Amino acid sequence: MEALILGIYASIVWLIFFKYKLLPWNTVAKVIVFTIPVVGMITLILLLNIFSPSSSNVVVVRNSVGIVSQVKGRVTEVPVTVNQRVKKGDVLFKIDPTQYQASANALKAKLKLAKMRVQQNEALVKSGSGNRFDLEKAQADFAELSEQSINSEYDLAQTIVRAPSDGTVVNVQLRPGAFVAAFPIASVMTFMEDTPQIYALFNQNELHQIEVGNEAEFYIPSFPGKILKATVESIILAEGQGQIGVSGNLPTTGLREIPVNRFAVKLVMDDRHAELLLPAGAVGDGAVYTDHLAFLHVIRKVMLRISTKLNYIIPKLH
């Protein structure tokens, strides 16, 4: 964009001083002609960086979820494959439900009998032929069996493991016949959510004009020529070096210079890009358009669009 502006300026100078010779090309004119673009470009860049700040580190993050079995048993079916996209509730794998179904059926029978005993004792107490202790015992037994039945039905339902949200199964080593256990840290496959989290990193002095709700745009090299619309969701005013671990030791300071770190501005993509699957870990460029000096936004937008077109070029010699 800067080259385009300089090209237009050079054309105007050529027309005024050389083609039509509207003004003399003397020392004063030369100083003015060469001073204007230098001062103008410096002013333009400084204003752009304040009221339309850009970031060369727009990071795409997608949460990964380790799929863990809630019950133990032999795997009977794995209907998904590596890198398969699934919807929330789709089946990821199934466990042999035989023992859990048998347990649920047995408890249903016991629960039915316990309910009958409660009804019989209620009738006896009401007629004066029974005692309240037997009724309360029957009621307690019924309540206990009801809770056991609920847990049994829950375990039976967990023999079918489903996708927690829309996403992609990125690691499937599980096969029918394998045995899985209800162990919280033993993931049997890896699931990655579709919905991305997007963070644009800015230097500290670039944040003072950015506000929640500001328009933003970014691109990543995975989609050459494409500009993704977004909105500022929040500004995360914290980062690692601002945290001191809890211990009995004094903080260690002064041994080396503290590096200048950046702060993250969280962006949320427009719904128009909802079906676009952004690669986790992708890094691109972007900009936030503040509520001031809106005419500068056009320049920044043109710059972004030119930059993303350059992603079509692959500068490799092999």
Side-chain angles (χ1 to χ4, degrees), residues 248-263:
N249 300 324
L250 293 174
T252 302
T253 61
L255 295 180
R256 62 183 181 273
E257 184 179 354
I258 297 176
V260 177
N261 289 324
R262 291 164 295 175
F263 290 85

Side-chain angles (χ1 to χ4, degrees), residues 39-230:
V39 175
M41 292 304 295
I42 291 174
T43 303
L44 177 63
I45 292 171
L46 291 176
L47 290 176
L48 276 173
N49 291 339
I50 295 173
F51 299 108
S52 185
S54 65
S55 172
S56 59
N57 289 103
V58 178
V59 183
V60 178
V61 177
R62 288 168 57 200
N63 290 333
S64 63
V65 179
I67 302 300
V68 178
S69 176
Q70 298 279 15
V71 294
K72 64 180 181 179
R74 190 75 60 185
V75 176
T76 59
E77 184 180 348
V78 184
V80 294
T81 58
V82 176
N83 286 334
Q84 178 177 333
R85 294 190 71 178
V86 295
K87 295 292 185 181
K88 181 178 181 179
D90 286 354
V91 176
L92 299 181
F93 65 92
K94 295 181 179 180
I95 299 171
D96 185 1
T98 303
Q99 60 175 326
Y100 300 102
Q101 185 67 66
S103 177
N105 292 342
L107 281 169
K108 284 181 181 178
K110 291 180 180 180
L111 191 63
K112 183 177 180 181
L113 179 60
K115 184 177 181 181
M116 186 182 300
R117 287 175 177 170
V118 169
Q119 293 172 343
Q120 290 172 347
N121 278 279
E122 285 177 343
L124 290 173
V125 170
K126 187 175 182 180
S127 65
S129 302
N131 63 71
R132 183 160 294 278
F133 176 80
D134 291 338
L135 173 59
E136 291 175 349
K137 178 65 168 59
Q139 290 174 334
D141 291 342
F142 178 75
E144 183 179 355
L145 286 170
S146 295
E147 184 177 350
Q148 292 177 4
S149 179
I150 292 173
N151 292 332
S152 179
E153 291 291 340
Y154 174 80
D155 288 344
L156 177 62
Q158 297 309 306
T159 60
I160 301 178
V161 180
R162 302 180 183 275
S165 64
D166 294 352
T168 306
V169 183
V170 295
N171 180 22
V172 183
Q173 303 296 325
L174 194 63
R175 295 292 183 271
F179 190 88
V180 295
F183 195 53
I185 61 174
S187 300
V188 296
M189 61 177 61
T190 303
F191 175 84
M192 187 163 286
E193 295 179 350
D194 277 351
T195 305
Q197 297 185 46
I198 303 157
Y199 300 94
L201 304 182
F202 289 93
N203 292 321
Q204 298 176 53
N205 61 342
E206 295 179 293
L207 295 173
H208 61 90
Q209 294 296 321
I210 298 177
E211 297 177 350
V212 174
N214 283 160
E215 178 190 359
E217 292 180 336
F218 70 97
Y219 69 83
I220 56 176
S222 304
F223 302 100
K226 192 172 186 65
I227 291 293
L228 304 176
K229 299 283 188 178

